[in-house]
Amino acid sequence: MKIVIVEDEIRIREGLMKLLERIDQNYQVVGEAENGKAGLELILESKPDLVITDVQMPIMDGLEMLRCLQEKQPLPKVIILSAYSEFSYAQQAIKLGVSEYLIKPIMVNELTQALRMVEQQLKTKEKERRASRTGYLRGTINRISSRPVKV
């Protein structure tokens, strides 16, 4: 799973990268950013499966970054990390369709559970995409094969 981390505190960013590596060697951090503006550019460029972002950051906060991203492309899966349990932040995150909203300090088991849930969502989405493609192909083949043949 390709992951982008957007967090203004370098110690938290570095800690997350080490923790992700410990949780699962298949997690690949494809980039990190220290604010929402840089994060937006990085996400558009790297097209990750998952974005882990803070809410409160300089220049552009995490929720604004997600709103801007949503205007340009479908959102990847998102886990928000926040020191704020304020309901309005969580409410905005829900409206954006984020997968998880975790309160700092983050417990390893909470992050692990959130990551596993995201993996499951991605697998389900991929199965649905394949089934849709298969159904489309079958329908096309059936339409072609049922056409009368002119001799």
Side-chain angles (χ1 to χ4, degrees):
M1 177 165 48
K2 294 184 343 181
I3 302 171
V4 164
I5 299 171
V6 185
E7 166 64 61
D8 60 324
E9 295 181 47
I10 190 164
R11 290 176 55 210
I12 294 175
R13 275 197 324 266
E14 290 173 349
L16 272 171
M17 287 190 297
K18 288 177 184 172
L19 186 56
L20 289 167
E21 189 177 292
R22 265 192 14 224
I23 292 172
D24 192 323
Q25 296 269 328
N26 293 319
Y27 294 156
Q28 177 188 6
V29 177
V30 294
E32 57 179 289
E34 63 185 22
N35 61 63
K37 186 172 186 267
L40 178 61
E41 293 168 9
L42 178 60
I43 294 163
L44 288 169
E45 180 183 303
S46 64
K47 306 246 186 285
D49 301 307
L50 172 65
V51 173
I52 300 175
T53 185
D54 190 3
V55 173
Q56 290 291 333
M57 294 180 287
I59 303 174
M60 179 188 286
D61 72 34
L63 295 173
E64 183 61 27
M65 175 191 73
L66 295 174
R67 280 190 284 275
C68 290
L69 181 61
Q70 200 170 43
E71 291 173 5
K72 298 175 187 301
Q73 69 180 41
L75 282 182
K77 296 297 177 188
V78 178
I79 295 175
I80 289 184
L81 311 177
S82 180
Y84 304 94
S85 59
E86 196 171 310
F87 181 68
S88 66
Y89 288 139
Q91 194 173 29
Q92 290 175 57
I94 289 167
K95 285 180 184 176
L96 287 167
V98 304
S99 298
E100 285 288 323
Y101 190 99
L102 303 177
I103 304 299
K104 295 176 187 175
I106 295 145
M107 307 302 275
V108 175
N109 62 338
E110 285 179 330
L111 180 60
T112 302
Q113 186 176 354
L115 291 164
R116 299 297 185 225
M117 188 180 76
V118 166
E119 281 183 284
Q120 191 58 47
Q121 290 170 352
L122 290 169
K123 285 177 185 174
T124 301
K125 186 177 177 180
E126 179 60 24
K127 283 180 186 176
E128 289 170 357
R129 201 180 98 238
R130 284 185 185 149
S132 174
R133 265 199 328 238
T134 302
Y136 173 78
L137 288 173
R138 282 189 183 136
T140 302
I141 291 168
N142 288 338
R143 281 192 301 279
I144 291 170
S145 64
S146 65
R147 290 184 184 160
V149 178
K150 294 182 183 179
V151 183

